[in-house]
Amino acid sequence: MWIVYLKELRSLLRDRKTLIFTILIPIIALPLIGFGMTQVMSKLSEKARTEQIKYAIFGAQNAPALAELFARDAGYREVKLGSAGDIRGAIGDDRIKLALNVPAQFAGAIGASQQAAIELHFNSADAGEITRKRVNAVVEQYNATLRDKALSDFKLTAPQLAFVLNPVTIDVRSTADQRERIGALVGGMLPYLLIFVCLMAGMYPAIDIGAGEKEAGTLETLLLAPVSRSQLVMGKFLVLFTVALAASLLMVSSLGLLLRFYSGRLDPALAAVVAAISIGDLGMIALMLVPTAAMFAAILLSMSIYAKSYKEAAGMMQPMMIIAIMPMMVAMIPGVELTWLWSAVPLTNIALAMKEIVKGTMDYPKFLMILFSSTLLAAILLAFCRRWFSREEVLFRD
């Protein structure tokens, strides 16, 4: 078994494609791409919040105080348009970012102490939420002046006005600490990266040591060697297991080092969560990757053994990405928590457990249940692979 293992491993390590998928991508490419995307998104979001917005306003005479607030704000620059009919074209041509239209009845409604509305025109698909929030901030300043006037006109004190506007409020006291709140977001993405890398790292070596040997005609020679089928299967399985596990562990190590190194550039809340993740937490994540890598190794080897050619094996394994992602999507559904039932569901339990570890709320009995159920499933899949390999109609399909 170990002779087969070492022979297959040396063969794979000579292959550049294997080195790329097991070392370059998990250690360098994915962490850098992920960190780079985070930095780019942060800078773009900051730019959208601070850049000067070109706007047009129609009916400014109906709300001169509001128009003055926009004119004085350094974050806005007014652009004159011919008529309100030019708004759509001007936004489409990027001459303006937004347009405000104050109707003629606006001043009358405000004077009669009635609620009034202005029209906001903008492209909601282009950083629309940030644009709307920035406009709301200026409008809220205008509303504050109107509320102050209402205090004097209606002879209401500030507490009385607060009661009229909002009689009952909710004072939120969350029991979740900062690590739990941020960890719930970060921990939801971690399984995607690790399981994706684990699957991808094992996929191409699996094609080589199964369907690739069939296509090259070397499988028959290997079967004639004085090695039992069980030893052959275990040797090939251990190669895939080693490659998949090594890639995912390297991914964890590389990502951890990258986050620690750039912790000063991270959001303070996220940096605090990263600092709170201990060596023990990383060890638990690594332990869960062991049965995950074993499951993928057994499944991929079974597929590769069944395929008649390299091309057929590649086609059969492509849907595995979708199949692997679906259980992780379940873990992202609001309300799905790590219970005893979910701790027995393959891959979903891994995703939920990783999220709990990052949050710092891992239930250790459930963690042991996840390890047991995942290891049991990996053993069943390996037994199936061994039985699959012993069938001549599988090895030598017409």
Side-chain angles (χ1 to χ4, degrees), residues 9-26 200-201 204-205 208 243 310:
L9 191 59
R10 281 195 297 266
S11 177
L12 288 175
L13 291 177
R14 295 191 192 103
D15 185 8
R16 289 183 180 179
K17 182 168 57 181
T18 302
L19 293 176
I20 289 173
F21 279 99
T22 57
I23 297 177
L24 181 63
I25 290 180
M200 286 294 296
Y204 290 98
D208 283 331
V243 171
Y310 194 101

Side-chain angles (χ1 to χ4, degrees), residues 346-358:
L347 294 184
T348 301
N349 54 6
I350 301 291
L352 288 171
M354 287 185 182
K355 183 164 68 172
E356 294 296 320
I357 289 172
V358 176

Side-chain angles (χ1 to χ4, degrees), residues 114-136:
Q114 296 179 356
Q115 193 175 59
I118 61 174
E119 296 176 2
L120 170 62
H121 301 260
F122 69 106
N123 185 351
S124 60
D126 181 18
E129 186 64 20
I130 295 176
T131 301
R132 186 179 62 80
K133 286 182 178 180
R134 290 184 62 177
V135 172
N136 282 345

